[in-house]
């Protein structure tokens, strides 16, 4: 090692430690645990203008969707896809009846989505989302993009039940 390199090393700043990935930053190929079940992240959808993401999770042959949103703290909701159909995005009601439960709309938003990996909508684009909750805290999520609806039923997950196992 030359004398100039040694002198340069004396005055150089040490490398910054790598920032660990949070759940909001996970991408396809990462591994996480939700409610004691280990999942591989196979897809990610993020809507512009929101500090939120939907991760497509795979546990063997089962697929689930983890909604993560950063507000005052991280909020989590785990969804399963359900069968259902709506005809027109302009006619999505404020109240939905499903399997004996009444769901009330809590939030409606739209924005451009960036898609990575395997997701229900394989191309990015303008997406419209409606989020509902029933009186007993059951959740319902409706997404519309490119003429296609997806419906999901889910529940909130406490932050202590969610952790990153391996991030690439």
């Amino acid at each position: 090692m030359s004398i100039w390199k040694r002198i340069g090393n004396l005055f150089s700043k040490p490398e910054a430690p790598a920032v660990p990935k949070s759940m909001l930053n996970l991408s396809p190929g990462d591994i996480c645990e939700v409610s004691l079940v280990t999942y591989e992240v196979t897809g990610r959808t993020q809507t512009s203008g929101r500090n939120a993401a939907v991760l497509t999770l795979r546990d063997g042959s089962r697929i689930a969707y983890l909604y993560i949103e950063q507000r005052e703290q991280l909020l989590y909701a785990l969804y399963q896809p359900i069968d259902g159909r709506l005809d027109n995005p302009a006619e999505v009601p404020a109240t939905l009846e499903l399997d004996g439960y009444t769901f009330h709309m809590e939030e409606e938003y739209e924005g451009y989505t960036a898609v990575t990996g395997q997701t229900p909508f394989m191309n990015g684009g303008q997406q419209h989302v409606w989020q509902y909750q029933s009186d007993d805290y059951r959740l319902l999520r409706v997404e519309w993009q490119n003429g296609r609806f997806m419906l999901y039923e889910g529940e909130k997950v406490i932050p202590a039940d969610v952790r990153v196992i391996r991030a690439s």
Side-chain angles (χ1 to χ4, degrees), residues 127-143:
Q127 184 180 57
H128 206 111
V129 177
W130 297 265
Q131 294 187 131
Y132 295 83
Q133 182 172 328
S134 70
D135 290 336
D136 61 347
Y137 302 107
R138 295 170 66 98
L139 302 176
L140 181 71
R141 180 179 172 91
V142 178
E143 297 175 346

Side-chain angles (χ1 to χ4, degrees), residues 8-16:
N9 286 341
L10 288 174
F11 296 106
S12 67
K13 294 181 182 176
E15 284 188 31

